[in-house]
Amino acid sequence: MELRDLSIQELHEKLAGKKISAVELAQEFIAHIKKTDGEICAYLDYHFDVALTEAKEVDDRIAQGDRIALLAGIPCAIKDNMLMKDTRTTAGSKILAPYVASYDAYAVERLRQERAVFLGKTNMDEFAMGSSTENSAFQKTKNPVDTMRVPGGSSGGSAAAVASRQAVFALGSDTGGSIRQPASFCGIVGLKPTYGAVSRSGLMAMASSLDQIGPFAKSVQDVETVFEVIKGKDPKDMTSVHFPQEAPLKKLKGLNVGVPKEYFIEGMEKGVTEAVKKSIAAMERAGAHIIPISLPHTKYAIAVYYIIMPAEVSSNLARYDGIRFGYSTHHLTDGDTDLAAVYDRSRSEGLGKEVKRRVMLGTYVLSAGYYDAYYKKAQQVRTKITEDFTRAFTQVDLIATPTSPTVAFTFGAKTKDPLSMYLADVFTVPVNLAGVPALSMPCGLSEGLPVGLQLIGPWFGERTLCSVGKEIEEALK
Ligand code: GLN
């Protein structure tokens, strides 16, 4: 087995036992990135020199006889919408191309305290808007499983980096599926934590009532290890909370697993349905009770999400005005005599098509006369969607669904029709609207491409999600 295929625990044992050094491990990953990333294009920036220094510090500590943390010396990658002090942070946008962060995001800071090694920043859809990473202003990331296909999005770079063994784990953000869907497309594991479980301080806000940071890795155990480090209360994000002690850990045996009929719909890929149903059958064989349930407001989730999210986007992105951060227009003419012209031109030149579309949709649904009809109505239906989950979790311990109705699609397949791209989010957005946690894990193949199983838990049910996820991994082996 290659070093790059090992788990966090296995690598930790090798490092702590001085079988390998952290510098050697970093070099191994750097060499592999140099060999493969010309094709995959997972990274926007490489931080190799700093990574080697970080690794050297871990080696020094080991040499001094210090005990090291589980993540110490473990090479990782960070989505480019999370700030890392003194390095470029673009969120995949031209408007932030020259922007250098002045502090670390909380999640990054936590990993730094553990002495993880940062290999670089990963590609993403501009400001995390998209499901294929094709909306990046800089490059197209390829799916390592099949390079003719997209890696999913918006955290496509992070997913592709882990899937191609260019990092042991990576961080992503999930506003409507951006961790789970790329994890599913690339055949790896991704966790969208409970809203509030991980601080968003230093995450470039997309839609603040939906955004969450979470990990990608090859296994459920690795994802859980990283989550344990990044979770928790941070005074700089008032929505973050002390993670509550969870009720006793549940196992598959005797577990009530809900299967919502609204997540097995017409038009889904047959191979996806089959792979997910097979893994549900495996759960049943392991002693789980499979219970058909209904989440009746699921059918409104896409419509609700594509009103609330752009409303918040339009407000959050107002700060990119050509004055305070990043790019400013060089094209002012004599007729441009006021500040509005700077805003206007900088934003027209600096923001991409999809971002502009959402800013316009957002300002529209918030405008006087339309607010009640769109934004307020959407918030009311959002409550109904949340109530669906509240009700379901009085009956079941967790919910099993497909992560995405299809496997990874080919480049360009959905770029001409934004609506078809939005529909790809049908099984992931209800989770963000309700704020519950969900795990996506590989559960088989459809025509040779990875299918993701989505396990949805009640608020702060991450431990059970991960423990059950590990059992399913075993059962599917
Ligand atoms: N694909 C969804 C969108 O385009 C989700 C994005 C995300 O989770 N950041 O909005």
Side-chain angles (χ1 to χ4, degrees), residues 79 125 127-132 135 153-155 173-181 206 211 305-306 309 354 358 421-422 425 428-429 432:
K79 185 178 182 179
D125 284 302
F127 287 109
M129 299 177 204
S131 308
S132 67
N135 293 336
S154 64
S155 318
S173 65
D174 190 313
T175 303
S178 281
I179 292 174
R180 290 159 288 155
Q181 185 255 24
M206 176 181 165
D211 299 340
Y305 173 80
Y306 278 93
M309 174 273 297
E354 181 60 27
R358 295 192 192 197
M421 190 74 91
Y422 298 169
D425 304 333
T428 50
V429 295
N432 302 74

Short mmCIF file of all heavy atoms in Angstrom, two decimals, residues 79 125 127-132 135 153-155 173-181 206 211 305-306 309 354 358 421-422 425 428-429 432, ligand 1:
data_model
loop_
_atom_site.label_atom_id
_atom_site.label_comp_id
_atom_site.label_asym_id
_atom_site.label_seq_id
_atom_site.Cartn_x
_atom_site.Cartn_y
_atom_site.Cartn_z
N LYS A 79 -10.20 24.62 1.09
CA LYS A 79 -10.98 25.31 0.04
C LYS A 79 -10.65 26.79 0.05
O LYS A 79 -10.49 27.39 1.13
CB LYS A 79 -12.47 25.07 0.32
CG LYS A 79 -13.41 25.61 -0.76
CD LYS A 79 -14.87 25.27 -0.42
CE LYS A 79 -15.84 25.73 -1.49
NZ LYS A 79 -17.24 25.39 -1.18
N ASP A 125 -16.18 26.62 -7.24
CA ASP A 125 -17.07 27.52 -7.98
C ASP A 125 -16.97 28.90 -7.34
O ASP A 125 -16.85 29.02 -6.12
CB ASP A 125 -18.52 27.03 -7.88
CG ASP A 125 -18.80 25.83 -8.76
OD1 ASP A 125 -18.60 25.94 -9.99
OD2 ASP A 125 -19.21 24.79 -8.23
N PHE A 127 -17.29 31.97 -5.37
CA PHE A 127 -18.04 32.23 -4.13
C PHE A 127 -18.94 31.05 -3.75
O PHE A 127 -20.00 31.23 -3.14
CB PHE A 127 -18.84 33.53 -4.22
CG PHE A 127 -17.96 34.75 -4.14
CD1 PHE A 127 -17.75 35.54 -5.25
CD2 PHE A 127 -17.31 35.06 -2.95
CE1 PHE A 127 -16.90 36.65 -5.18
CE2 PHE A 127 -16.47 36.17 -2.86
CZ PHE A 127 -16.27 36.97 -3.98
N ALA A 128 -18.53 29.85 -4.14
CA ALA A 128 -19.22 28.60 -3.78
C ALA A 128 -20.58 28.45 -4.45
O ALA A 128 -21.45 27.73 -3.98
CB ALA A 128 -19.35 28.45 -2.26
N MET A 129 -20.76 29.14 -5.58
CA MET A 129 -22.04 29.05 -6.29
C MET A 129 -21.91 28.12 -7.48
O MET A 129 -21.38 28.52 -8.53
CB MET A 129 -22.49 30.44 -6.74
CG MET A 129 -22.69 31.36 -5.57
SD MET A 129 -23.11 33.00 -6.13
CE MET A 129 -22.56 33.95 -4.72
N GLY A 130 -22.40 26.90 -7.31
CA GLY A 130 -22.34 25.95 -8.41
C GLY A 130 -22.29 24.53 -7.92
O GLY A 130 -22.16 24.28 -6.71
N SER A 131 -22.39 23.59 -8.84
CA SER A 131 -22.42 22.17 -8.48
C SER A 131 -21.41 21.39 -9.31
O SER A 131 -21.52 20.16 -9.43
CB SER A 131 -23.82 21.60 -8.73
OG SER A 131 -24.79 22.41 -8.08
N SER A 132 -20.45 22.08 -9.93
CA SER A 132 -19.53 21.38 -10.82
C SER A 132 -18.11 21.94 -10.80
O SER A 132 -17.22 21.39 -11.45
CB SER A 132 -20.06 21.43 -12.26
OG SER A 132 -20.03 22.77 -12.72
N ASN A 135 -17.74 26.98 -12.44
CA ASN A 135 -17.88 28.43 -12.28
C ASN A 135 -16.65 29.09 -11.67
O ASN A 135 -16.69 30.27 -11.35
CB ASN A 135 -19.09 28.77 -11.40
CG ASN A 135 -20.41 28.39 -12.07
OD1 ASN A 135 -20.49 28.31 -13.29
ND2 ASN A 135 -21.44 28.15 -11.28
N GLY A 153 -19.49 20.16 -7.16
CA GLY A 153 -19.14 21.47 -6.65
C GLY A 153 -20.04 21.87 -5.50
O GLY A 153 -20.95 21.15 -5.14
N SER A 154 -19.75 22.95 -4.84
CA SER A 154 -18.72 23.88 -5.25
C SER A 154 -17.31 23.53 -4.75
O SER A 154 -16.34 24.07 -5.27
CB SER A 154 -19.07 25.28 -4.76
OG SER A 154 -19.08 25.30 -3.34
N SER A 155 -17.20 22.61 -3.78
CA SER A 155 -15.86 22.28 -3.25
C SER A 155 -15.17 21.22 -4.10
O SER A 155 -14.55 20.29 -3.57
CB SER A 155 -15.96 21.78 -1.80
OG SER A 155 -16.87 22.53 -1.05
N SER A 173 -16.81 23.78 2.19
CA SER A 173 -17.96 24.43 2.81
C SER A 173 -19.21 23.94 2.08
O SER A 173 -19.14 23.56 0.91
CB SER A 173 -17.85 25.94 2.73
OG SER A 173 -17.88 26.36 1.38
N ASP A 174 -20.31 23.92 2.82
CA ASP A 174 -21.55 23.33 2.29
C ASP A 174 -22.71 24.26 2.62
O ASP A 174 -23.06 24.43 3.78
CB ASP A 174 -21.74 21.94 2.93
CG ASP A 174 -22.85 21.12 2.29
OD1 ASP A 174 -23.95 21.67 2.08
OD2 ASP A 174 -22.63 19.91 2.02
N THR A 175 -23.26 24.88 1.59
CA THR A 175 -24.38 25.81 1.74
C THR A 175 -25.66 25.16 1.23
O THR A 175 -26.76 25.43 1.72
CB THR A 175 -24.08 27.11 0.96
OG1 THR A 175 -22.85 27.65 1.44
CG2 THR A 175 -25.19 28.14 1.09
N GLY A 176 -25.48 24.29 0.22
CA GLY A 176 -26.63 23.59 -0.35
C GLY A 176 -26.23 22.20 -0.85
O GLY A 176 -26.95 21.58 -1.63
N GLY A 177 -25.03 21.76 -0.44
CA GLY A 177 -24.59 20.43 -0.88
C GLY A 177 -23.13 20.38 -1.28
O GLY A 177 -22.63 19.34 -1.71
N SER A 178 -22.44 21.49 -1.14
CA SER A 178 -21.09 21.62 -1.72
C SER A 178 -20.01 20.76 -1.10
O SER A 178 -18.90 20.73 -1.61
CB SER A 178 -20.64 23.08 -1.67
OG SER A 178 -21.25 23.78 -2.71
N ILE A 179 -20.29 20.08 0.01
CA ILE A 179 -19.36 19.05 0.48
C ILE A 179 -19.86 17.68 0.03
O ILE A 179 -19.11 16.88 -0.54
CB ILE A 179 -19.21 19.09 2.03
CG1 ILE A 179 -18.51 20.37 2.46
CG2 ILE A 179 -18.43 17.87 2.52
CD1 ILE A 179 -18.43 20.58 3.96
N ARG A 180 -21.14 17.44 0.27
CA ARG A 180 -21.67 16.09 0.03
C ARG A 180 -21.69 15.70 -1.44
O ARG A 180 -21.34 14.57 -1.81
CB ARG A 180 -23.08 16.00 0.63
CG ARG A 180 -23.09 16.02 2.15
CD ARG A 180 -24.43 16.45 2.69
NE ARG A 180 -24.67 17.86 2.47
CZ ARG A 180 -25.85 18.43 2.38
NH1 ARG A 180 -26.94 17.70 2.45
NH2 ARG A 180 -25.97 19.73 2.21
N GLN A 181 -22.12 16.62 -2.31
CA GLN A 181 -22.24 16.25 -3.72
C GLN A 181 -20.88 15.98 -4.38
O GLN A 181 -20.70 14.96 -5.03
CB GLN A 181 -23.08 17.32 -4.46
CG GLN A 181 -23.38 17.01 -5.90
CD GLN A 181 -22.53 17.87 -6.81
OE1 GLN A 181 -21.46 18.33 -6.42
NE2 GLN A 181 -23.00 18.07 -8.04
N MET A 206 -21.35 33.01 1.96
CA MET A 206 -22.21 32.93 0.77
C MET A 206 -23.63 33.22 1.24
O MET A 206 -24.17 34.29 0.99
CB MET A 206 -22.08 31.55 0.14
CG MET A 206 -23.02 31.34 -1.04
SD MET A 206 -22.84 29.68 -1.72
CE MET A 206 -24.31 29.58 -2.74
N ASP A 211 -24.58 28.31 5.44
CA ASP A 211 -23.16 27.92 5.31
C ASP A 211 -22.66 27.07 6.49
O ASP A 211 -22.89 27.43 7.65
CB ASP A 211 -22.25 29.16 5.28
CG ASP A 211 -22.51 30.10 4.11
OD1 ASP A 211 -23.11 29.66 3.12
OD2 ASP A 211 -22.08 31.27 4.19
N TYR A 305 -34.78 27.21 -1.51
CA TYR A 305 -33.33 27.45 -1.43
C TYR A 305 -32.92 28.52 -2.44
O TYR A 305 -32.13 29.42 -2.10
CB TYR A 305 -32.59 26.14 -1.70
CG TYR A 305 -31.08 26.30 -1.82
CD1 TYR A 305 -30.29 26.40 -0.69
CD2 TYR A 305 -30.46 26.35 -3.06
CE1 TYR A 305 -28.91 26.54 -0.78
CE2 TYR A 305 -29.09 26.50 -3.18
CZ TYR A 305 -28.31 26.59 -2.05
OH TYR A 305 -26.95 26.75 -2.16
N TYR A 306 -33.44 28.44 -3.65
CA TYR A 306 -33.02 29.39 -4.69
C TYR A 306 -33.74 30.74 -4.57
O TYR A 306 -33.67 31.56 -5.48
CB TYR A 306 -33.10 28.75 -6.09
CG TYR A 306 -31.85 27.93 -6.35
CD1 TYR A 306 -31.81 26.55 -6.07
CD2 TYR A 306 -30.68 28.52 -6.79
CE1 TYR A 306 -30.65 25.81 -6.24
CE2 TYR A 306 -29.51 27.79 -6.97
CZ TYR A 306 -29.50 26.44 -6.71
OH TYR A 306 -28.34 25.73 -6.88
N MET A 309 -31.21 31.60 -0.54
CA MET A 309 -29.76 31.68 -0.76
C MET A 309 -29.39 32.95 -1.56
O MET A 309 -28.54 33.72 -1.10
CB MET A 309 -29.28 30.38 -1.43
CG MET A 309 -27.84 30.35 -1.86
SD MET A 309 -27.66 31.03 -3.51
CE MET A 309 -28.63 29.88 -4.47
N GLU A 354 -22.62 33.59 -13.10
CA GLU A 354 -23.52 32.94 -12.14
C GLU A 354 -23.69 33.79 -10.89
O GLU A 354 -24.78 33.91 -10.34
CB GLU A 354 -22.99 31.54 -11.78
CG GLU A 354 -23.86 30.75 -10.81
CD GLU A 354 -25.27 30.49 -11.34
OE1 GLU A 354 -25.48 30.43 -12.56
OE2 GLU A 354 -26.19 30.36 -10.48
N ARG A 358 -27.22 35.49 -9.42
CA ARG A 358 -27.78 35.31 -8.07
C ARG A 358 -27.92 36.64 -7.33
O ARG A 358 -28.87 36.82 -6.57
CB ARG A 358 -26.90 34.33 -7.28
CG ARG A 358 -26.96 32.95 -7.91
CD ARG A 358 -26.35 31.89 -7.04
NE ARG A 358 -26.17 30.65 -7.78
CZ ARG A 358 -25.96 29.48 -7.23
NH1 ARG A 358 -25.91 29.36 -5.92
NH2 ARG A 358 -25.81 28.40 -7.98
N MET A 421 -28.72 22.71 -13.62
CA MET A 421 -27.64 22.65 -12.61
C MET A 421 -28.25 22.76 -11.21
O MET A 421 -27.87 22.02 -10.30
CB MET A 421 -26.66 23.79 -12.86
CG MET A 421 -25.37 23.72 -12.06
SD MET A 421 -24.22 22.45 -12.64
CE MET A 421 -23.22 23.37 -13.82
N TYR A 422 -29.23 23.65 -11.03
CA TYR A 422 -29.86 23.83 -9.72
C TYR A 422 -30.57 22.54 -9.28
O TYR A 422 -30.55 22.18 -8.10
CB TYR A 422 -30.89 24.98 -9.72
CG TYR A 422 -30.33 26.36 -10.05
CD1 TYR A 422 -31.18 27.43 -10.30
CD2 TYR A 422 -28.96 26.60 -10.10
CE1 TYR A 422 -30.69 28.70 -10.59
CE2 TYR A 422 -28.46 27.86 -10.39
CZ TYR A 422 -29.33 28.90 -10.64
OH TYR A 422 -28.85 30.15 -10.93
N ASP A 425 -29.17 19.73 -7.04
CA ASP A 425 -29.08 19.91 -5.58
C ASP A 425 -30.31 19.41 -4.83
O ASP A 425 -30.43 19.64 -3.62
CB ASP A 425 -28.90 21.40 -5.24
CG ASP A 425 -27.71 22.03 -5.94
OD1 ASP A 425 -26.75 21.29 -6.23
OD2 ASP A 425 -27.74 23.25 -6.19
N THR A 428 -29.80 17.57 -1.49
CA THR A 428 -28.87 18.12 -0.49
C THR A 428 -29.38 19.40 0.16
O THR A 428 -29.09 19.64 1.33
CB THR A 428 -27.47 18.38 -1.11
OG1 THR A 428 -27.62 19.12 -2.32
CG2 THR A 428 -26.74 17.08 -1.38
N VAL A 429 -30.13 20.23 -0.57
CA VAL A 429 -30.52 21.53 0.01
C VAL A 429 -31.50 21.44 1.20
O VAL A 429 -31.42 22.28 2.10
CB VAL A 429 -31.06 22.55 -1.04
CG1 VAL A 429 -29.97 22.93 -2.01
CG2 VAL A 429 -32.28 22.04 -1.76
N ASN A 432 -29.58 21.66 4.47
CA ASN A 432 -29.09 22.99 4.88
C ASN A 432 -30.23 23.87 5.36
O ASN A 432 -30.08 24.64 6.31
CB ASN A 432 -28.39 23.69 3.71
CG ASN A 432 -27.23 22.88 3.17
OD1 ASN A 432 -27.43 21.88 2.49
ND2 ASN A 432 -26.02 23.26 3.49
N1 GLN B 1 -24.85 23.74 -5.66
C1 GLN B 1 -25.44 24.62 -4.71
C2 GLN B 1 -25.47 26.04 -5.25
O1 GLN B 1 -25.07 26.22 -6.34
C3 GLN B 1 -24.74 24.52 -3.41
C4 GLN B 1 -23.57 25.41 -3.25
C5 GLN B 1 -22.90 25.27 -1.93
O2 GLN B 1 -23.24 24.40 -1.12
N2 GLN B 1 -21.98 26.16 -1.69
O3 GLN B 1 -25.89 26.93 -4.61
#
